Amino acid sequence: MKKALKIILWILACIVAVIAGLVLYIQLAWNKSFDAPYPDIKASTDPAMIERGKYLAYGWSHCAACHVPADKVMDVDNGLVMPLIGGWNEKAPGFGTFRAPNLTPDRETGIGNHTDAELARAIRYCVKRDNKLLPPFMVFQGLSDEDLTAVISFLRSQPPVKNEVPPSELGFVAKAVIAFGLLKPIGPKSTPPKSVPQDTTAEYGKYLANSVGNCLGCHVKIDGTGNQVNADFAGGGVFPPNQWSKGYGFVSPNLTPDKKTGHIAAWSEQQFIDRFKGGRLYEGSPMPWGFVSRMSENDIKALYRYLHSLEPVEFAVEKIVYEPGEEMPK
């Protein structure tokens, strides 16, 4: 009996030692420094360039959906133009609390002391000016040099606003993921273009969907481990009720031109334009309707033509809007 007890205690001691070692390793190893190139980007004072950056920030790229206080998000979605003073935050159990920083040129609390190259590197490579990981919420790695310049030019043009936003706080799970190399800075998959012709072609629509608007971030199904389980743009992303949706939940539709299951397969180009220009139907739905309603008709045409050029994928999304209290798919 005593021998068995000693064995059990020895096993428990080994388990405790292993756990303690893992915890210690994670605490010592998570705060890694990363290297990334500095893009050759220089802000411009050209009014047309600044206006393009503003169009992206308050429109298709919807920067203003996060870089304003949470109580102003729906106001900005509805057309309020305010400096991007930061303040949005999201709590993820185990992963921590993530906060969007002040992007006005204030020198103490904003980006006033950041160089253009540091800002460009943060957007394109998810590496902060102190070489630490920037959690990859911004998926604009493929933004053209011209549009990246436009965005930074617009940020520089804002009035400086003093608004101290506490830095994001990573939880133990997030630290563990970083420590073991499972989460790293995300860079562009290929060399970003210098510029992209702004026309109505499917090629420009591809750029808008994948590098500017991040449609793919919502219009796919993700499993419990964070892996994509269906084809690009086939829909099925689940969005439970949030603080703005008044109890409604949503599932993203299939955007491929499959005749049986494609949500917009039978839509005409004008119907697509009208829906985008029509704005929000449900408050708090994940689609940034207010922002995309401010897209130009030519941009919307390009997006329509790109989506209709995709390979049809049969993937049924039975329902896209769920009433308060209604059980949603997992």
Side-chain angles (χ1 to χ4, degrees):
M1 187 69 179
K2 288 183 179 180
K3 186 176 180 181
L5 182 59
K6 286 181 179 180
I7 293 173
I8 292 172
L9 290 174
W10 181 81
I11 293 173
L12 289 174
C14 290
I15 293 172
V16 169
V18 169
I19 293 173
L22 283 173
V23 170
L24 180 62
Y25 171 77
I26 290 168
Q27 294 295 347
L28 293 174
W30 76 269
N31 197 22
K32 298 180 178 181
S33 292
F34 297 93
D35 190 25
Y38 291 91
D40 184 20
I41 298 294
K42 294 178 177 62
S44 170
T45 57
D46 177 15
M49 184 68 78
I50 292 171
E51 190 59 32
R52 170 68 177 175
K54 182 179 179 180
Y55 170 76
L56 294 174
Y58 288 94
W60 195 223
S61 293
H62 51 280
C63 311
C66 292
H67 288 279
V68 296
D71 62 352
K72 295 293 184 183
V73 168
M74 293 311 300
D75 292 331
V76 174
D77 185 87
N78 289 328
L80 174 68
V81 177
M82 63 175 291
L84 304 184
I85 65 172
W88 169 90
N89 70 86
E90 182 74 25
K91 292 184 178 180
F95 286 89
T97 300
F98 301 94
R99 301 182 181 93
N102 181 348
L103 294 185
T104 75
D106 181 64
R107 288 188 173 277
E108 294 181 21
T109 65
I111 60 171
N113 288 324
H114 291 62
T115 68
D116 296 335
E118 286 172 343
L119 293 174
R121 185 172 78 148
I123 294 170
R124 183 166 283 174
Y125 293 98
C126 295
V127 176
K128 297 189 288 186
R129 67 187 308 216
D130 62 0
N131 297 321
K132 303 303 181 183
L133 171 71
L134 183 65
F137 291 110
M138 297 187 298
V139 191
F140 305 117
Q141 288 75 30
L143 211 59
S144 71
D145 286 353
E146 185 176 59
D147 279 344
L148 186 54
T149 300
V151 169
I152 293 174
S153 300
F154 164 68
L155 296 180
R156 296 288 194 209
S157 76
Q158 299 175 101
V161 179
K162 191 177 297 297
N163 184 45
E164 185 72 47
V165 177
S168 297
E169 302 169 43
L170 297 184
F172 184 76
V173 175
K175 290 179 179 179
V177 169
I178 296 171
F180 289 105
L182 301 177
L183 179 61
K184 300 177 182 179
I186 298 176
K189 295 178 180 178
S190 59
T191 302
K194 294 293 183 183
S195 65
V196 179
Q198 297 172 31
D199 51 28
T200 59
T201 63
E203 188 62 27
Y204 182 52
K206 179 180 180 180
Y207 170 71
L208 291 173
N210 293 286
S211 299
V212 181
N214 189 30
C215 305
L216 194 57
C218 292
H219 286 278
V220 290
K221 184 174 178 59
I222 304 296
D223 66 18
T225 61
N227 294 313
Q228 183 177 329
V229 299
N230 61 348
D232 290 357
F233 299 101
V238 178
F239 298 88
N242 59 38
Q243 59 184 307
W244 301 288
S245 69
K246 298 181 178 179
Y248 283 87
F250 306 89
V251 177
S252 60
N254 182 347
L255 297 184
T256 74
D258 179 63
K259 292 183 178 179
K260 286 179 61 178
T261 62
H263 188 71
I264 62 170
W267 289 18
S268 69
E269 187 171 86
Q270 190 58 52
Q271 285 176 310
F272 190 77
I273 293 170
D274 291 344
R275 178 64 197 93
F276 267 65
K277 289 297 185 181
R280 187 174 295 282
L281 298 179
Y282 293 91
E283 190 171 342
S285 60
M287 177 73 172
W289 282 112
F291 295 94
V292 300
S293 70
R294 295 187 278 275
M295 291 173 66
S296 70
E297 284 201 10
N298 279 350
D299 280 4
I300 300 173
K301 287 178 181 179
L303 180 62
Y304 174 86
R305 293 169 187 181
Y306 168 62
L307 293 175
H308 277 257
S309 75
L310 296 172
E311 188 72 27
V313 177
E314 185 173 341
F315 185 84
V317 176
E318 301 298 338
K319 194 173 183 179
I320 62 175
V321 179
Y322 286 78
E323 301 279 339
E326 191 175 3
E327 186 176 358
M328 295 188 66
K330 301 299 184 183

